[in-house]
Amino acid sequence: MSLFLVRIRNRWQEDGGYSEVLEIAIPLIISTGTWSVLHFVDRMFLSWYSQETIAAAMPAGLLSFTITSVFIGTASYIGTFVAQYYGAKRYKRCGASLWQGIYIALIGGTLQISLLPLAGPIFDFVGHETEIRQYEITYFRILCLGAVPAIVSSTISAFFSGLGQTRPVMWVNIAAMLFNILLDWILIFGHLGFPELGIAGAGIATVCSFIFNMGIYFLWLSHPFYRIRFDTIKAWPFEKRLFTRVIRFGFPSGIQFFIDMSGITFFVLLIGKLGTVSLAATNIAFNISTLSFMPMIGTGMAISVLVGQRLGENRPEIAARSTYSALHLASVYISGIVLLYVLWPDLFVRAFSSQSDPLEFQPIRDTTVILLRFVAFYSLFDAMSIIFSSALKGAGDTRFVMFIVTLVSIFILMLPSYALIIFFSMGTYSGWICPTTYVVTLGLVFFARFSRGKWKQMRVIEKSRGIP
């Protein structure tokens, strides 16, 4: 036992150890947590307003974010460039990378705004009830108008994360979350003399929070420390070569983000064909799984930064140690959550049943308890998938990650789900075998790729030739 404690202490203190990982990861975990809180409160307010608005918010919001995810994944990949330049002590190139990401964000946001005329035909094709369809069109159009500040904010957030300065990201996200919640309360219900706008108010509040977020980030970038050391203002000119490199490595990351979201969305839509109980239980199970999933997202972001910085320093072994340190920490956390999923599922399910009729909710509760066992089974593999894929992307191995996610999503998640649920009519539990197998496969494949070590020779930045 004493030898074990000594090893833990040493691993805590050394480069790439637990302390270093947590220092960067904790603010990012809190930042991703603000997203969950914000969406929860937003949906809660709309459910208080009317059933039609909450029904419309989910598909319209999901479609908007799915489109935005391509551009967020591409533009925010500048975080890896910043991390590698920072590790190589080429600080001026960090600011140049930031501005190329901002240009991508402007292009992506403008393209999304161009979809405004298509909102009507898209939701007419979906075919929901007339009132819900009108709400969907309204909400989707407003969110599209906020695409530019949303993507720019994610890009600047990636810049600070790439520097390893994740606390500014945390504080900006907390401030934006509180601002959004306040505007939701004012604009949805018409408080403080403002008109009652319902779902339009929710959309306006979200867009205003994106603008608020972006404004704070630009103020932070204008601080003399960042202006002088990283050229955050002077490095605004367009650089064709750097822009092309960001697209080359970042676009596969954006496509991977899009495909990952699309696969899960497709599965949920298929489950909806099995009835209300199956759909409600699946949504609840996925919502509960965010307790294990969201901290892993923050941890994965931290690992991308640490791997990028260490590769910029030409210290790949420290990058590997950081990745495994993150996996150790994640395993401890996941083990505790998994035990609760299996031994005390009602601890989580009860929050969703408090306002429901007990008899009506009982079948949903029973189904959710079983589904949480699937979540418990794949949670550790989910952590492996996020951590190792993040490490690979931090090195620049984005094409492999994109290829694997696309392949596994189509042939292990989407096609088998369709066959089991629609063609063979095998029900909810058989359908859930597919996302479980999907997550397990990704975890094992990314672990194998990472273990081979090819990523240690990769760089996204050009070799230094006297460039500051």
Side-chain angles (χ1 to χ4, degrees):
M1 179 62 71
S2 60
L3 180 60
F4 175 75
L5 293 176
V6 169
R7 288 181 177 178
I8 293 293
R9 185 183 63 188
N10 291 340
R11 189 61 175 253
W12 183 273
Q13 298 171 343
E14 62 188 354
D15 286 345
Y18 303 135
S19 177
E20 183 179 72
V21 171
L22 289 173
E23 183 177 356
I24 293 181
I26 288 177
L28 292 174
I29 291 171
I30 294 173
S31 295
T32 56
T34 63
W35 306 343
S36 299
V37 173
L38 178 58
H39 283 98
F40 177 82
V41 174
D42 190 70
R43 300 298 186 260
M44 181 180 70
F45 282 164
L46 288 175
S47 68
W48 292 355
Y49 188 78
S50 75
Q51 292 182 351
E52 290 76 17
T53 54
I54 185 62
M58 187 70 173
L62 189 60
L63 176 61
S64 175
F65 185 73
T66 300
I67 296 168
T68 309
S69 67
V70 179
F71 307 117
I72 288 178
T74 304
S76 63
Y77 193 74
I78 64 105
T80 296
F81 280 78
V82 171
Q84 292 196 15
Y85 278 130
Y86 183 81
K89 294 182 171 50
R90 298 167 65 187
Y91 303 129
K92 303 297 184 182
R93 302 303 293 162
C94 295
S97 301
L98 166 66
W99 279 99
Q100 308 319 302
I102 289 175
Y103 293 136
I104 294 171
L106 293 174
I107 294 169
T110 303
L111 288 174
Q112 186 159 346
I113 291 173
S114 70
L115 297 176
L116 288 175
L118 300 177
I122 289 172
F123 289 103
D124 286 342
F125 175 77
V126 173
H128 291 162
E129 296 176 8
T130 302
E131 185 176 8
I132 293 177
R133 185 162 65 247
Q134 290 304 313
Y135 284 142
E136 289 171 333
I137 293 170
T138 298
Y139 194 52
F140 177 77
R141 284 175 172 168
I142 293 172
L143 293 180
C144 284
L145 292 173
V148 169
I151 304 169
V152 170
S153 295
S154 296
T155 305
I156 302 176
S157 169
F159 168 80
F160 283 109
S161 297
L163 297 178
Q165 298 184 17
T166 53
R167 292 189 179 185
V169 177
M170 177 185 70
W171 291 118
V172 171
N173 277 291
I174 290 174
M177 176 193 71
L178 296 175
F179 182 68
N180 195 342
I181 291 173
L182 175 62
L183 286 184
D184 270 338
W185 179 75
I186 292 173
L187 297 178
I188 292 174
F189 303 107
H191 292 300
L192 302 181
F194 284 82
E196 180 183 313
L197 299 177
I199 196 169
I204 293 170
T206 299
V207 173
C208 287
S209 73
F210 290 153
I211 297 171
F212 175 81
N213 205 339
M214 183 177 67
I216 295 179
Y217 273 133
F218 272 116
L219 285 175
W220 218 307
L221 288 174
S222 65
H223 188 280
F225 173 76
Y226 298 104
R227 284 193 291 108
I228 295 170
R229 191 174 194 188
F230 302 108
D231 271 359
T232 53
I233 304 299
K234 289 174 60 178
W236 66 267
F238 178 79
E239 294 189 24
K240 182 179 178 180
R241 289 185 178 180
L242 182 55
F243 181 86
T244 302
R245 289 180 71 84
V246 173
I247 293 289
R248 174 187 167 192
F249 290 100
F251 187 65
S253 180
I255 293 297
Q256 173 253 317
F257 193 4
F258 173 80
I259 293 294
D260 201 14
M261 282 198 62
S262 298
I264 296 298
T265 302
F266 180 78
F267 173 75
V268 171
L269 292 175
L270 288 180
I271 286 289
K273 295 183 178 295
L274 298 177
T276 302
V277 171
S278 295
L279 181 58
T282 293
N283 283 329
I284 291 172
F286 276 140
N287 270 280
I288 293 172
S289 72
T290 60
L291 292 172
S292 56
F293 176 75
M294 293 308 290
M296 296 307 103
I297 292 292
T299 305
M301 293 165 65
I303 286 305
S304 284
V305 170
L306 289 170
V307 168
Q309 289 185 353
R310 296 312 188 188
L311 290 183
E313 297 170 356
N314 289 317
R315 300 170 71 193
E317 296 308 320
I318 304 300
R321 185 187 300 159
S322 298
T323 305
Y324 284 114
S325 292
L327 183 64
H328 298 165
L329 295 168
S331 299
V332 173
Y333 173 78
I334 290 293
S335 297
I337 291 291
V338 163
L339 285 175
L340 292 175
Y341 285 161
V342 174
L343 301 178
W344 197 5
D346 283 323
L347 175 66
F348 310 102
V349 179
R350 195 178 297 121
F352 295 87
S353 63
S354 58
Q355 302 299 318
S356 303
D357 180 89
L359 292 178
E360 290 183 1
F361 190 79
Q362 188 62 38
I364 297 175
R365 180 266 174 199
D366 294 341
T367 304
T368 304
V369 168
I370 300 298
L371 297 185
L372 284 179
R373 296 175 186 171
F374 285 90
V375 175
F377 179 79
Y378 71 61
S379 287
L380 181 58
F381 294 96
D382 200 20
M384 291 172 59
S385 172
I386 292 169
I387 289 171
F388 288 120
S389 67
S390 297
L392 294 173
K393 289 192 290 184
D397 202 5
T398 54
R399 292 185 183 181
F400 176 82
V401 175
M402 178 192 70
F403 174 76
I404 292 300
V405 169
T406 302
L407 198 66
V408 175
S409 183
I410 293 172
F411 293 104
I412 293 183
L413 178 58
M414 290 192 279
L415 292 180
S417 294
Y418 183 85
L420 291 174
I421 295 171
I422 304 300
F423 191 76
F424 293 108
S425 302
M426 294 184 66
T428 306
Y429 302 140
S430 296
W432 262 73
I433 293 173
C434 298
T436 302
T437 308
Y438 169 75
V439 173
V440 171
T441 303
L442 289 181
L444 294 176
V445 171
F446 290 141
F447 170 66
R449 177 73 168 186
F450 182 83
S451 298
R452 287 182 59 191
K454 184 178 179 181
W455 59 272
K456 295 179 180 179
Q457 309 305 319
M458 296 181 179
R459 303 291 187 275
V460 300
I461 61 175
E462 72 282 2
K463 292 183 179 180
S464 178
R465 296 178 180 176
I467 302 175

